[in-house]
Amino acid sequence: MTDSRPIGVFDSGIGGLPIAKKIRELLPNENLIYVADTHYAPYGEKSEDTILQRSLAVTDFLRSQDVKAIVVACNTATMVSIKTLRAEYGEKYDLPFIGVEPGVKPAAIHTKTGVIGVLATEKTLTSHAFDALAKRVAGNAHMEIQPSPKLVRLVENLQLDDDAAVKAVEEYVHPLIEKDADTIILGCTHFAHLAPVIEKVAGDKVSVISTELAVAKEVVRRLKVENLLTTQPDFGTTEFFSNGDLALFQQQIQYLWGIDAQAQRF
Ligand code: DGL
């Protein structure tokens, strides 16, 4: 059995691209569809109801593209919506959902000072799902949470290492270091794009934890278990959709993915 239907990946914007890239590396023959719900970004500043409605709407679009699995490549949407997505679509349409959540577990294993800094959206940090995750896996570690809204906007503007990016990263990271954090979680997928700057600002003694590879490995595992992997010998295609400024999206994907990437509207 082979299943060459595409894997859908979505985020509020370009935050999910590093996850899509890892999936592409691990599964070169799979077809991918990436959706940036840019018109409604940033999710981190929206109500839970809006985030849920958008997650459902993007899922409907991806279903219309006949995807075989959906990767919610956004911590905020995962925290707020994945339970409902699984309940409403998962079983009914036999559609696996793979989400992303802040890497609290690896951080708790890694920390020596017992203080973990978490950079994420306000919505993620105040969600019940994040609270439950922390209670479940943080053990004795103390978490210093840091909402970081400026970073999402900087990434969407492709300001990944300019003065404004460094300044904003310093503003969010310095207080965590002052509180003795030796491990910082990138709890928003957008922040993977800023990882080099965050690592530099945090310094050698601090480890920065991000989750793209873990999510991509989970995608492989789920597709294997569900018998959904393709056996097509050719390299897979990647399609990119956005409902925001298409010229900007074109620039973003060409810069972050490759010169051949073509923006489409959804
Ligand atoms: N990339 C998203 C996340 O992982 C959210 C960014 C936003 O739209 O606020 O949480």
Side-chain angles (χ1 to χ4, degrees):
M1 238 293 270
T2 184
D3 192 333
S4 52
R5 288 177 300 157
I7 301 167
V9 181
F10 84 88
D11 176 54
S12 61
I14 56 174
L17 285 176
I19 290 179
K21 231 181 205 164
K22 286 283 175 227
I23 297 172
R24 167 56 66 238
E25 276 169 36
L26 298 188
L27 297 170
N29 306 95
E30 296 289 344
N31 296 320
L32 302 182
I33 294 187
Y34 186 89
V35 174
D37 195 21
T38 328
H39 185 69
Y40 296 89
Y43 280 0
E45 293 165 29
K46 301 289 183 300
S47 70
E48 294 211 350
D49 191 51
T50 301
I51 296 164
L52 178 58
Q53 291 316 317
R54 291 313 307 158
S55 302
L56 292 166
V58 174
T59 295
D60 282 335
F61 171 71
L62 285 169
R63 284 195 54 241
S64 77
Q65 303 296 304
D66 198 25
V67 295
K68 61 184 172 187
I70 294 183
V71 182
V72 184
C74 171
N75 292 262
T76 313
T78 300
M79 294 290 116
V80 172
S81 317
I82 203 156
K83 258 195 182 158
T84 308
L85 293 174
R86 285 182 177 139
E88 299 215 347
Y89 293 85
E91 280 183 25
K92 194 151 112 199
Y93 302 110
D94 228 353
L95 189 60
F97 285 89
I98 296 100
V100 53
E101 58 185 25
V104 179
K105 198 174 175 182
I109 293 167
H110 189 273
T111 181
K112 297 268 186 301
T113 60
V115 183
I116 299 169
V118 190
L119 302 174
T121 67
E122 178 89 46
K123 267 276 132 18
T124 290
L125 295 171
T126 54
S127 68
H128 293 301
F130 179 71
D131 196 40
L133 172 72
K135 288 202 171 99
R136 209 168 59 240
V137 298
N140 293 328
H142 168 73
M143 292 217 272
E144 283 294 336
I145 59 172
Q146 178 63 68
S148 322
K150 288 183 191 168
L151 303 189
V152 176
R153 292 179 197 282
L154 285 161
V155 168
E156 286 294 322
N157 286 338
L158 287 180
Q159 292 175 264
L160 306 183
D161 54 9
D162 65 2
D163 288 350
V166 173
K167 212 163 149 244
V169 167
E170 284 173 348
E171 178 186 332
Y172 296 134
V173 168
H174 282 163
L176 301 176
I177 310 290
E178 275 157 27
K179 286 175 184 142
D180 211 20
D182 65 348
T183 309
I184 293 179
I185 297 172
L186 305 186
C188 168
T189 54
H190 277 78
F191 303 167
H193 293 294
L194 292 167
V197 173
I198 294 172
E199 278 163 5
K200 196 158 173 215
V201 168
D204 290 350
K205 294 193 187 85
V206 176
S207 300
V208 174
I209 307 251
S210 81
T211 44
E212 305 86 76
L213 183 60
V215 174
K217 283 183 175 169
E218 177 60 11
V219 172
V220 176
R221 192 193 68 78
R222 276 298 292 282
L223 293 185
K224 223 178 243 173
V225 169
E226 312 270 350
N227 210 10
L228 290 172
L229 286 170
T230 185
T231 51
Q232 69 164 355
D234 303 332
F235 284 119
T237 58
T238 311
E239 289 188 87
F240 298 91
F241 291 88
S242 167
N243 52 4
D245 177 340
L246 218 59
L248 174 61
F249 188 56
Q250 181 66 46
Q251 203 188 330
Q252 291 167 328
I253 58 177
Q254 285 192 335
Y255 183 63
L256 296 168
W257 191 275
I259 202 74
D260 293 335
Q262 283 302 322
Q264 300 179 63
R265 180 164 299 290
F266 84 101

